PDB file of all heavy atoms in Angstrom:
ATOM      1  N   ARG A 720       0.169  40.993  26.647  1.00 98.00           N
ATOM      2  CA  ARG A 720       1.180  42.078  26.382  1.00 98.00           C
ATOM      3  C   ARG A 720       0.894  43.291  27.220  1.00 98.00           C
ATOM      4  O   ARG A 720       1.713  43.873  27.760  1.00 98.00           O
ATOM      5  CB  ARG A 720       1.186  42.410  24.850  1.00 98.00           C
ATOM      6  CG  ARG A 720       2.013  41.361  24.068  1.00 98.00           C
ATOM      7  CD  ARG A 720       1.929  41.588  22.477  1.00 98.00           C
ATOM      8  NE  ARG A 720       2.507  42.920  22.121  1.00 98.00           N
ATOM      9  CZ  ARG A 720       3.828  43.039  21.864  1.00 98.00           C
ATOM     10  NH1 ARG A 720       4.623  41.977  21.881  1.00 98.00           N
ATOM     11  NH2 ARG A 720       4.298  44.166  21.529  1.00 98.00           N
ATOM     12  N   ALA A 721      -0.429  43.765  27.225  1.00 98.00           N
ATOM     13  CA  ALA A 721      -0.824  44.816  28.066  1.00 98.00           C
ATOM     14  C   ALA A 721      -0.525  44.606  29.596  1.00 98.00           C
ATOM     15  O   ALA A 721      -0.059  45.361  30.286  1.00 98.00           O
ATOM     16  CB  ALA A 721      -2.375  45.021  27.841  1.00 98.00           C
ATOM     17  N   ALA A 722      -0.822  43.273  29.932  1.00 98.00           N
ATOM     18  CA  ALA A 722      -0.544  42.930  31.378  1.00 98.00           C
ATOM     19  C   ALA A 722       0.935  42.962  31.664  1.00 98.00           C
ATOM     20  O   ALA A 722       1.295  43.253  32.809  1.00 98.00           O
ATOM     21  CB  ALA A 722      -1.171  41.519  31.673  1.00 98.00           C
ATOM     22  N   SER A 723       1.801  42.604  30.710  1.00 98.00           N
ATOM     23  CA  SER A 723       3.282  42.667  31.002  1.00 98.00           C
ATOM     24  C   SER A 723       3.713  44.070  31.300  1.00 98.00           C
ATOM     25  O   SER A 723       4.628  44.275  32.075  1.00 98.00           O
ATOM     26  CB  SER A 723       3.917  42.035  29.803  1.00 98.00           C
ATOM     27  OG  SER A 723       4.016  42.914  28.631  1.00 98.00           O
ATOM     28  N   VAL A 724       3.008  45.068  30.628  1.00 98.00           N
ATOM     29  CA  VAL A 724       3.339  46.468  30.971  1.00 98.00           C
ATOM     30  C   VAL A 724       2.825  46.841  32.306  1.00 98.00           C
ATOM     31  O   VAL A 724       3.599  47.451  33.068  1.00 98.00           O
ATOM     32  CB  VAL A 724       2.708  47.342  29.837  1.00 98.00           C
ATOM     33  CG1 VAL A 724       2.966  48.812  30.269  1.00 98.00           C
ATOM     34  CG2 VAL A 724       3.228  47.112  28.522  1.00 98.00           C
ATOM     35  N   ALA A 725       1.653  46.449  32.627  1.00 98.00           N
ATOM     36  CA  ALA A 725       1.119  46.672  33.950  1.00 98.00           C
ATOM     37  C   ALA A 725       1.860  46.149  35.038  1.00 98.00           C
ATOM     38  O   ALA A 725       2.058  46.726  36.076  1.00 98.00           O
ATOM     39  CB  ALA A 725      -0.417  46.207  33.895  1.00 98.00           C
ATOM     40  N   LYS A 726       2.299  44.908  34.935  1.00 98.00           N
ATOM     41  CA  LYS A 726       3.088  44.198  35.898  1.00 98.00           C
ATOM     42  C   LYS A 726       4.381  44.989  36.243  1.00 98.00           C
ATOM     43  O   LYS A 726       4.752  45.149  37.450  1.00 98.00           O
ATOM     44  CB  LYS A 726       3.495  42.820  35.430  1.00 98.00           C
ATOM     45  CG  LYS A 726       2.373  41.779  35.534  1.00 98.00           C
ATOM     46  CD  LYS A 726       2.850  40.511  34.998  1.00 98.00           C
ATOM     47  CE  LYS A 726       1.724  39.458  35.009  1.00 98.00           C
ATOM     48  NZ  LYS A 726       2.142  38.157  34.467  1.00 98.00           N
ATOM     49  N   GLN A 727       5.001  45.617  35.330  1.00 98.00           N
ATOM     50  CA  GLN A 727       6.234  46.376  35.550  1.00 98.00           C
ATOM     51  C   GLN A 727       5.960  47.565  36.409  1.00 98.00           C
ATOM     52  O   GLN A 727       6.653  47.912  37.354  1.00 98.00           O
ATOM     53  CB  GLN A 727       6.856  46.800  34.168  1.00 98.00           C
ATOM     54  CG  GLN A 727       7.324  45.706  33.294  1.00 98.00           C
ATOM     55  CD  GLN A 727       7.850  46.248  31.967  1.00 98.00           C
ATOM     56  OE1 GLN A 727       8.869  47.054  31.997  1.00 98.00           O
ATOM     57  NE2 GLN A 727       7.313  45.799  30.906  1.00 98.00           N
ATOM     58  N   ALA A 728       4.783  48.217  36.076  1.00 98.00           N
ATOM     59  CA  ALA A 728       4.349  49.398  36.864  1.00 98.00           C
ATOM     60  C   ALA A 728       4.051  48.947  38.302  1.00 98.00           C
ATOM     61  O   ALA A 728       4.481  49.625  39.277  1.00 98.00           O
ATOM     62  CB  ALA A 728       3.257  50.075  36.269  1.00 98.00           C
ATOM     63  N   LEU A 729       3.310  47.912  38.499  1.00 98.00           N
ATOM     64  CA  LEU A 729       2.938  47.422  39.701  1.00 98.00           C
ATOM     65  C   LEU A 729       4.173  47.149  40.621  1.00 98.00           C
ATOM     66  O   LEU A 729       4.219  47.337  41.883  1.00 98.00           O
ATOM     67  CB  LEU A 729       2.030  46.221  39.687  1.00 98.00           C
ATOM     68  CG  LEU A 729       0.614  46.437  39.207  1.00 98.00           C
ATOM     69  CD1 LEU A 729      -0.055  45.070  38.971  1.00 98.00           C
ATOM     70  CD2 LEU A 729      -0.155  47.259  40.327  1.00 98.00           C
ATOM     71  N   ALA A 730       5.229  46.535  39.965  1.00 97.00           N
ATOM     72  CA  ALA A 730       6.424  46.170  40.701  1.00 97.00           C
ATOM     73  C   ALA A 730       7.205  47.390  41.231  1.00 97.00           C
ATOM     74  O   ALA A 730       7.900  47.269  42.265  1.00 97.00           O
ATOM     75  CB  ALA A 730       7.375  45.361  39.725  1.00 97.00           C
ATOM     76  N   ALA A 731       6.839  48.563  40.681  1.00 97.00           N
ATOM     77  CA  ALA A 731       7.489  49.756  41.117  1.00 97.00           C
ATOM     78  C   ALA A 731       6.486  50.511  41.941  1.00 97.00           C
ATOM     79  O   ALA A 731       6.745  51.755  42.307  1.00 97.00           O
ATOM     80  CB  ALA A 731       7.907  50.671  39.880  1.00 97.00           C
ATOM     81  N   GLY A 732       5.385  49.994  42.202  1.00 97.00           N
ATOM     82  CA  GLY A 732       4.363  50.575  43.134  1.00 97.00           C
ATOM     83  C   GLY A 732       3.495  51.624  42.478  1.00 97.00           C
ATOM     84  O   GLY A 732       2.992  52.564  43.004  1.00 97.00           O
TER      85      GLY A 732
END
Side-chain angles (χ1 to χ4, degrees):
R720 283 174 64 88
S723 74
V724 176
K726 284 178 182 177
Q727 295 178 59
L729 286 172

